[in-house]
Amino acid sequence: HGDGDGVKGYSERNMSNDYTWVTQNSLNYNFKIADIHRFDLTGVFEHQKFQNETLYGYGENFPADGLTNISSAGANDDSSSSFTDWLNTSYLGMFNYSLSNRLVLDATIRREGSSRFARGKRFGTFWSVGAAYNLHRDIFTDTFNLLRVRGSYGLTGNSGVGINAYQALLSYDADYDGNGAAYPSVFGNPDLTWEKNNTFDVGLEFEALNRRLSGSVAYFDKKTFDLLQNVPLSRTTGFASQAQNVGEVRNSGIEAMLGYDIIKTNDITWNLSANIATLANEVTKLALDGNGNPINPSAGSSYKNTEVGQPIGYWFMPTWAGVNVDTGRPEWFINGVDGDKTSDINAAARYNQGTSIPKYTGGVSTALNIKNVFLNANLYFAGGHKVYEQYAQFYMRTNNFTLATYNGVEELLERWQKPGDVTDVPKLSFVNDNFHATSSRHLYDGTFARLKDITVGYNLPSTVTDYLGIDGLSFSVRGTNLYTWVKDKDMKLDPETQAAGYTTLTTPPVKSVIFGVNLKF
């Protein structure tokens, strides 16, 4: 039955086993000198080994109903298996020093090796140094419960690359005239090594008004270099790309948090807090081709572009200019910005339309307790970025794709019908006018705010729970994703996307109301 009907039944089996062994040993020594100097030294050794084994079998054409073993199949037997493994070893040393609980210094050094790289390139040395000073111990002692300034700088590594990317490999999953065959599958790169991050961080933390007011602000600057990327190769090599350590990206921004206990009594407490983070992303270096020109990792994309001085993978497409009021045909700006228009999208220049990476994110939360009644709420927001509704090409076409084959959206009823009509939907026609083609027509402001959850509940008094012989009993009602505000009202799908910035046809966050009872005993 179903899709097995045409092959007289099929059966498949897949088994996968993952094994992970982790060994960790640590040694710690701490001591004090004159009760004002505190030292803490730690050494750690860690070894991790991973293995994955898979076994797959398939068969078709079963002689009778009810048979499921692949050995009973009469045709198209197929099987495969695989084995992968990797090792990771690291040596870590940590040092911490505290002076009269005022000045704190710490340092770490880590020597880490990964089997994902060739011999001689497997180990990297990473480190960090940091300091903090509790200013409230010496100044503003009557104003602040806590006033701390801190800073850190360090180097970290990333080994996120294919397990055998450094090796020149042959694959044997082909056949030639019924005989087994091999072919080159990985170009290899014996110089492949760790991707690295230099991170600088400086911040201020405070608590005041008997700890009713608290907050922090910090600035970070992270430079990622020797990026692990698949760099395009000349087809004369027989390979499409090679894993290399190339390029640099910089991320910087500010993170801030502020919280305040608006009411703080024995019977009522009400706290309100908010946080925000900004992010500026910039490509500072790209791989070079044989002529010394930067290689665009977004080359071939009709949506994005990457170049030095711009955010990675920024939107790069023709600019929508509307519908011609006389002809009803779609139009785009010829120079990509303004001025003269064309109905031939191929004659319209592509232009920088902004980034898919939010320039700011944040949240607001509140917690209210009135004796045994409590209310908690959390709101999340993001903005300063663009979101592309990729699937508009399926439901916003003005040709036979939606008129005869698929179903279009209601907005198509607002299409141009006669000269003088002012609308954003071109005339319907079986001729392909490329209205659905990639352009800023389907690129929207991604700014949104979402009420993630709100909970109202009641805790039974201790006098009642003691009488019942239990430790606690509470009742609650929780609503999730009850409201979403979207700045661009033309965007139809969920505005909360992945970093790539494309909306999807997956089920959006579900609005739900949950009633709960929590019993403790």
Side-chain angles (χ1 to χ4, degrees):
H1 62 83
D3 56 358
D5 180 62
V7 295
K8 297 184 179 178
Y10 69 84
S11 179
E12 57 184 342
R13 301 260 178 115
N14 189 12
M15 298 191 339
S16 178
N17 295 313
D18 292 333
Y19 303 92
T20 302
W21 292 266
V22 178
T23 301
Q24 186 180 83
N25 301 288
S26 63
L27 179 65
N28 175 263
Y29 177 63
N30 58 77
F31 60 94
K32 295 187 296 183
I33 298 178
D35 286 332
I36 62 172
H37 302 281
R38 295 175 179 267
F39 296 86
D40 192 294
L41 301 171
T42 302
V44 179
F45 167 76
E46 184 177 80
H47 180 77
Q48 186 173 1
K49 179 180 180 180
F50 173 83
Q51 288 183 350
N52 169 265
E53 299 179 65
T54 66
L55 182 62
Y56 173 80
Y58 176 87
E60 297 176 352
N61 195 348
F62 286 82
D65 289 340
L67 299 177
T68 58
N69 286 322
I70 296 175
S71 60
S72 302
N76 296 327
D77 291 341
D78 188 22
S79 63
S80 65
S81 63
S82 68
F83 174 84
T84 56
D85 67 340
W86 54 262
L87 302 174
N88 208 80
T89 297
S90 62
Y91 307 86
L92 173 66
M94 294 183 289
F95 167 81
N96 179 270
Y97 167 74
S98 174
L99 173 62
S100 299
N101 204 22
R102 283 175 166 79
L103 175 66
V104 178
L105 302 176
D106 61 63
T108 65
I109 185 168
R110 185 183 187 98
R111 181 73 172 166
E112 187 166 0
S114 173
S115 64
R116 295 174 184 267
F117 306 118
R119 295 182 184 274
K121 300 290 183 178
R122 288 179 172 168
F123 278 87
T125 301
F126 311 107
W127 53 270
S128 69
V129 292
Y133 194 89
N134 292 316
L135 296 173
H136 65 283
R137 298 282 182 180
D138 298 313
I139 59 176
F140 306 117
T141 56
D142 296 330
T143 305
F144 290 94
N145 303 107
L146 171 69
L147 183 61
R148 177 186 297 132
V149 61
R150 58 176 174 80
S152 65
Y153 183 74
L155 176 71
T156 59
N158 172 34
S159 60
V161 68
I163 293 176
N164 302 112
Y166 73 91
Q167 293 178 301
L169 297 177
L170 296 175
S171 289
Y172 294 86
D173 56 349
D175 68 88
Y176 182 77
D177 194 23
N179 297 308
Y183 62 93
S185 57
V186 178
F187 190 83
N189 182 1
D191 294 322
L192 200 65
T193 189
W194 290 82
E195 179 179 295
K196 304 174 185 68
N197 299 284
N198 268 134
T199 303
F200 169 74
D201 179 275
V202 61
L204 179 72
E205 304 171 18
F206 66 89
E207 293 179 358
L209 303 179
N210 198 24
R211 302 190 186 277
R212 291 182 62 175
L213 177 66
S214 63
S216 64
V217 60
Y219 169 78
F220 68 90
D221 192 329
K222 178 180 178 181
K223 184 180 77 170
T224 304
F225 59 101
D226 288 344
L227 273 73
L228 292 167
Q229 295 189 74
N230 289 319
V231 177
L233 296 177
S234 168
R235 290 292 183 172
T236 58
T237 64
F239 296 86
S241 63
Q242 179 191 36
Q244 297 181 14
N245 292 102
V246 292
E248 293 180 2
V249 175
R250 181 186 177 194
N251 291 283
S252 60
I254 296 174
E255 298 175 336
M257 186 278 292
L258 186 66
Y260 182 62
D261 292 330
I262 301 174
I263 301 175
K264 191 174 183 180
T265 67
N266 291 332
D267 293 330
I268 303 175
T269 60
W270 180 20
N271 174 269
L272 182 65
S273 63
N275 65 83
I276 188 169
T278 66
L279 178 63
N281 174 271
E282 180 186 1
V283 176
T284 56
K285 185 179 179 181
L286 288 171
L288 303 179
D289 61 19
N291 297 319
N293 299 316
I295 297 176
N296 183 358
S298 301
S301 170
S302 60
Y303 302 96
K304 295 189 174 185
N305 191 43
T306 299
E307 60 180 335
V308 173
Q310 296 291 338
I312 187 169
Y314 64 86
W315 298 114
F316 190 61
M317 57 188 66
T319 303
W320 172 249
V323 176
N324 189 299
V325 296
D326 297 319
T327 65
R329 299 189 65 192
E331 293 184 322
W332 299 267
F333 289 114
I334 293 177
N335 66 2
V337 182
D338 53 18
D340 294 337
K341 307 172 184 178
T342 178
S343 291
D344 180 6
I345 193 172
N346 297 312
R350 299 173 69 187
Y351 186 73
N352 186 340
Q353 305 287 351
T355 177
S356 62
I357 304 172
K359 294 183 179 179
Y360 61 87
T361 58
V364 178
S365 62
T366 185
L368 173 65
N369 292 271
I370 304 176
K371 292 188 176 181
N372 296 318
V373 178
F374 60 89
L375 183 149
N376 301 312
N378 295 283
L379 180 142
Y380 171 80
F381 62 86
H385 63 299
K386 299 287 187 67
V387 171
Y388 192 82
E389 199 159 310
Q390 195 173 24
Y391 284 91
Q393 59 186 292
F394 289 95
Y395 51 75
M396 281 291 283
R397 293 199 188 193
T398 53
N399 55 26
N400 63 325
F401 188 87
T402 51
L403 300 178
T405 308
Y406 294 97
N407 191 28
V409 292
E410 186 178 2
E411 282 76 8
L412 295 180
L413 296 175
E414 302 172 5
R415 81 277 187 195
W416 182 97
Q417 299 184 61
K418 63 182 184 303
D421 283 350
V422 178
T423 178
D424 207 32
V425 181
K427 65 179 180 180
L428 301 184
S429 172
F430 274 81
V431 178
N432 188 2
D433 257 340
N434 287 317
F435 170 58
H436 62 279
T438 304
S439 79
S440 64
R441 169 61 178 84
H442 305 299
L443 189 67
Y444 303 103
D445 189 325
T447 303
F448 78 97
R450 170 167 285 153
L451 182 60
K452 299 290 285 186
D453 63 78
I454 181 169
T455 303
V456 179
Y458 178 74
N459 293 311
L460 258 66
S462 58
T463 54
V464 178
T465 56
D466 291 343
Y467 176 78
L468 297 175
I470 57 178
D471 294 330
L473 179 63
S474 64
F475 305 90
S476 63
V477 179
R478 180 185 179 189
T480 60
N481 304 313
L482 295 182
Y483 177 74
T484 300
W485 174 83
V486 181
K487 181 178 180 181
D488 197 328
K489 302 304 180 183
D490 291 329
M491 185 160 54
K492 306 300 178 186
L493 302 181
D494 183 33
E496 192 169 0
T497 66
Q498 300 294 326
Y502 297 101
T503 60
T504 65
L505 290 182
T506 56
T507 303
V510 177
K511 293 182 180 180
S512 63
V513 177
I514 302 172
F515 298 89
V517 178
N518 191 342
L519 174 63
K520 298 178 181 179
F521 56 89

